[in-house]
Amino acid sequence: MTSAVPPLNTISLDLPPRWVAITPDGRRAYVTMDDVLPGGDPVGAVAVIDTGSDQVAATIAVGMGPGDVAVAPDGRRVYVSSFDRSRLSGVLTVIDTASDQVVAAIAISGPGGGPKGVAVGPDGRRVYVCHDHVHGHERGGLSVIDTEKEPVTISV
């Protein structure tokens, strides 16, 4: 059975949305978006939504084809999986939520690899990213990133 309850609001975005994650305090939503421009160049971005006003507060450029987005349990960092054309690899982009700025881009897969899902551990110390093409291999992998050290990726 379908419900006839309409949405509370619809927020216009610059690009087609893909995934969404909400900060623990519920004040912000981070929406991954991507598209191919008329010239054939793919673009990727994250829209930061102020959930109190239902307005786009910021748009942050990330790699092309952003896959998934996750927020750290303390709400201080957002993690976005995407593809970095210049590196030809999958990348985990780290966004600081206080400034809505990219603070790191961590290569997590080999040439041609594309990251998919992202999850943050309950204590925020590890980020897990599923991806394909681990260091040139045809099989996929799961990268585990220690958020308390220099960006280090352990593929398993």
Side-chain angles (χ1 to χ4, degrees):
M1 172 157 59
T2 28
S3 173
V5 178
L8 292 174
N9 198 356
T10 300
I11 301 165
S12 249
L13 300 173
D14 293 335
L15 300 167
R18 296 187 70 176
W19 302 103
V20 63
I22 309 293
T23 56
D25 64 9
R27 292 182 174 175
R28 298 271 175 132
Y30 288 81
V31 181
T32 58
M33 310 177 294
D34 76 327
D35 205 354
V36 176
L37 298 177
D41 292 328
V43 294
V46 173
V48 183
I49 309 297
D50 178 319
T51 59
S53 65
D54 288 340
Q55 298 292 316
V56 177
T59 301
I60 306 163
V62 296
M64 59 192 224
D68 199 2
V69 57
V71 179
D74 64 7
R76 293 177 43 206
R77 296 279 191 258
V78 171
Y79 301 94
V80 178
S81 63
S82 64
F83 186 79
D84 185 324
R85 179 182 256 171
S86 65
R87 295 181 190 185
L88 296 177
S89 67
V91 171
L92 181 69
T93 300
V94 183
I95 298 170
D96 177 80
T97 59
S99 65
D100 286 329
Q101 298 290 317
V102 172
V103 295
I106 305 164
I108 56 169
S109 62
K116 310 297 183 208
V118 177
V120 183
D123 62 4
R125 294 183 61 199
R126 290 185 171 202
V127 176
Y128 301 85
V129 186
C130 297
H131 54 84
D132 51 18
H133 300 288
V134 180
H135 305 293
H137 297 174
E138 290 303 315
R139 291 187 281 198
L142 175 70
S143 287
V144 181
I145 292 92
D146 184 336
T147 63
E148 294 186 350
K149 296 182 180 178
E150 291 295 316
V152 173
T153 301
I154 306 162
S155 291
V156 291

